Amino acid sequence: MELIFLGTGAGMPSKQRNTSSVVLNLSAEKEGYWMFDCGEATQHQLLRTSIKPRKINKIFITHLHGDHLFGLPGFLGSRSFLGGEEKLTIYGPVGIKQWIEVTMHITRTHLTYPLDIIEVQEGGVLFENDHFTVTTKELQHVIQCFGFRIEQKPLPGKLFIEKAFEAGVPKGPLLKRLKEGEDVRLDDGTIVYSKDVTGEAQKGFTVAILGDTRICSAAKELAQDANILVHEATFDMETGDLAKEYGHSTIGHAAQTAKEANVDVLIANHISARFMPSDLAKLKEQGQSIFPELLIAEDFSHYEWKNGFLESK
Amino acid sequence: MELIFLGTGAGMPSKQRNTSSVVLNLSAEKEGYWMFDCGEATQHQLLRTSIKPRKINKIFITHLHGDHLFGLPGFLGSRSFLGGEEKLTIYGPVGIKQWIEVTMHITRTHLTYPLDIIEVQEGGVLFENDHFTVTTKELQHVIQCFGFRIEQKPLPGKLFIEKAFEAGVPKGPLLKRLKEGEDVRLDDGTIVYSKDVTGEAQKGFTVAILGDTRICSAAKELAQDANILVHEATFDMETGDLAKEYGHSTIGHAAQTAKEANVDVLIANHISARFMPSDLAKLKEQGQSIFPELLIAEDFSHYEWKNGFLESK
Ligand SMILES: [Zn+2]
Ligand SMILES: [Zn+2]
């Protein structure tokens, strides 16, 4: 699992940071790439990575502010122009379907792939398959805004191959079925139980990616015991009143949520252009005084979650 | 008068060229800045120039394809966020008003300035004041698409100040009125005629900026005797059939139009990403074999029209 930040700014693009977008690379997990938010010029940012638009099969939009949304029509058109054929599913607040449809209609855009737009009305499970569950909760912003918790299901335990051979299992497909948790019957009628030849199931990872929000319990619940929390930090500790007024968080709020939710690592994004690159050390310090495992993402920050640790790539 | 090209690509952004936008700087003529088309990330391109969004007071949209349009909502929002208060007028094809309104509504964008959206239904005079006339004609693209002719009215002739003194005009405001073409009455009742103390009116400049089009008579009419023609060149001479099929021009079509319209300089833009930087010399040669005064614009190409010549800045 990797996280690639395409836009880490707030409100407007600046020379340093584009508007919001982050991509979760689940290709090693056979789920492709999932995008969270799609600010203007997200497709331009993608040009500077190796991620092909057609590889992205899900887009989650946290809320309908332009800095999280205005890259979507261009992305959809280019994904088509570049030969995308695989279905794309968009999850977003009510209103997104009408907006995309009006926009596609007015520009006479005809997509080469099926587009499924699922409007999120309230918290709950958004998506579930054999390997992942995505749940959502409503946060506290100035308009309806969601956060997402992406939870990998437990992975099958390690297969103890010598034990399997001892139990009479031949080389071949039965080994794979045992590893995947299935009990199998041998030719001689013996039943070999998966639990007898495999180790304990391994915990999957959990990532929480939140939209713009005041500090609130929903944020903490989405992040509870997650490995990684991606949380906005539009303000610094001196401007907490403004943060609350505008429905945003300070770096301190993000850190407090990370601490109370007991996450492993907090990645702060949605950094206001008011902060110069030289202000970042102080911003980071403010957050780390509350929660030490804090990083501030830059555009094109690229992290890999590997063996329980977050590596910068 | 200056022309600043913000995006000179076709269809999709590439690393070399953004989607369409060009700015006409009429600040020396006291008209501010006028933008023609506003592809995605036009506001990002502006960040790399000295042009402030609030200085732009008119936007002309040639047609409703995304590569000419998708930067508009972000630009409108940022112009507001950055404290723009002066009225902005948008001219564009029917449908643009609904799209902007739906987009502003869905994103809860409240602009700090008056926004006037004028839908263009057919050819004719779009705008006229004491100094400029903007006319439009429908071109031939796959959807309704317009071109614009921006014509400066004749400038008052040079004031022969010695002649004015000889005629008894005192130093002061009367001189200015004479220069501007007005006849004045002196304190002693004598009437001094402007034409007696000024030279001939000077011709203003004319720029034609066209949207996507097949070669057609409307393009030629808009460009007739213009100083500068900005014309698309999506295809090369080998792919003329494709150009016609897709409602576009080759570099040869652009050159032919420039030649038949008797313009001074042709600036080709809307260059397909199929052409590598190394292909441009050949493309240029193809066009110049028909019309020698041809330039191919790059993103951030910046030209000034000065004393009847186009200077690269
Ligand atoms: Zn935001
Ligand atoms: Zn175009």
Side-chain angles (χ1 to χ4, degrees), chain A:
Chain A
M1 183 269 280
E2 296 183 327
L3 275 168
I4 303 102
F5 286 81
L6 298 176
T8 59
M12 283 194 313
S14 70
K15 276 191 193 170
Q16 280 79 37
R17 296 175 186 273
N18 197 34
T19 49
S20 292
S21 186
V22 52
V23 170
L24 182 63
N25 176 2
L26 296 178
S27 53
E29 292 78 11
K30 311 262 193 295
E31 300 289 339
Y33 291 77
W34 297 356
M35 179 183 278
F36 295 80
D37 284 335
C38 189
E40 183 179 353
T42 291
Q43 65 164 325
H44 298 64
Q45 299 288 85
L46 278 177
L47 284 175
R48 298 174 56 189
T49 71
S50 61
I51 305 168
K52 301 276 169 266
R54 65 185 151 77
K55 298 274 183 78
I56 294 169
N57 58 53
K58 290 187 198 303
I59 301 180
F60 300 83
I61 300 291
T62 60
H63 65 299
L64 301 180
H65 273 159
D67 60 323
H68 299 252
L69 184 66
F70 284 159
L72 196 50
F75 174 84
L76 296 181
S78 295
R79 186 179 190 272
S80 189
F81 200 80
L82 294 167
E85 294 183 344
E86 204 191 330
K87 183 172 113 172
L88 176 67
T89 305
I90 299 176
Y91 302 85
V94 174
I96 195 169
K97 194 169 158 73
Q98 184 209 357
W99 185 65
I100 292 174
E101 286 173 354
V102 168
T103 304
M104 296 291 110
H105 173 71
I106 224 166
T107 56
R108 303 285 184 275
T109 306
H110 305 287
L111 301 177
T112 53
Y113 50 85
L115 179 65
D116 198 8
I117 305 172
I118 295 174
E119 293 196 329
V120 186
Q121 312 246 11
E122 52 181 13
V125 174
L126 266 192
F127 166 78
E128 181 162 15
N129 67 9
D130 286 350
H131 307 293
F132 284 91
T133 308
V134 180
T135 52
T136 186
K137 275 181 193 283
E138 200 175 329
L139 302 169
Q140 285 188 19
H141 192 37
V142 292
I143 59 173
Q144 194 179 43
C145 182
F146 292 93
F148 304 102
R149 177 182 175 95
I150 302 96
E151 213 163 338
Q152 190 184 31
K153 294 188 176 175
L155 298 163
K158 196 173 156 37
L159 177 71
F160 299 120
I161 199 160
E162 291 303 328
K163 272 200 185 167
F165 289 158
E166 278 167 29
V169 182
K171 280 189 184 177
L174 291 185
L175 288 173
K176 186 159 176 277
R177 285 163 60 193
L178 282 164
K179 181 172 161 45
E180 285 168 353
E182 217 180 305
D183 303 329
V184 303
R185 181 186 295 269
L186 305 184
D187 283 348
D188 66 2
T190 318
I191 291 176
V192 181
Y193 294 97
S194 174
K195 68 170 171 43
D196 294 338
V197 296
T198 56
E200 258 186 281
Q202 291 165 286
K203 215 172 153 284
F205 58 77
T206 297
V207 190
I209 301 178
L210 309 190
D212 295 0
T213 190
R214 274 187 205 103
I215 187 165
C216 68
S217 56
K220 206 173 74 178
E221 289 156 22
L222 284 168
Q224 192 62 50
D225 300 315
N227 300 108
I228 300 169
L229 167 62
V230 177
H231 195 297
E232 70 126 304
T234 318
F235 289 88
D236 61 9
M237 306 270 287
E238 283 79 13
T239 47
D241 289 349
L242 287 177
K244 282 193 180 149
E245 191 180 333
Y246 293 113
H248 283 293
S249 292
T250 65
I251 189 91
H253 295 147
Q256 199 179 323
T257 298
K259 183 179 173 182
E260 293 179 11
N262 188 38
V263 307
D264 292 332
V265 186
L266 165 63
I267 307 178
N269 68 348
H270 205 267
I271 307 298
S272 165
R274 285 180 297 116
F275 300 115
M276 298 290 107
S278 57
D279 299 327
L280 287 186
K282 191 182 159 208
L283 204 64
K284 200 168 168 180
E285 250 172 48
Q286 289 188 343
Q288 287 182 331
S289 71
I290 297 168
F291 184 79
E293 293 301 316
L294 176 153
L295 301 165
I296 295 180
E298 307 288 328
D299 285 15
F300 304 108
S301 283
H302 184 164
Y303 304 104
E304 185 177 2
W305 182 252
K306 210 173 171 178
N307 306 323
F309 291 96
L310 192 68
E311 282 179 17
S312 231
K313 293 202 74 176

Side-chain angles (χ1 to χ4, degrees), chain B residues 10-11 20 63 65 67-68 141 212 248 270:
Chain B
S20 292
H63 66 297
H65 273 158
D67 60 324
H68 299 252
H141 192 38
D212 295 0
H248 282 293
H270 205 268

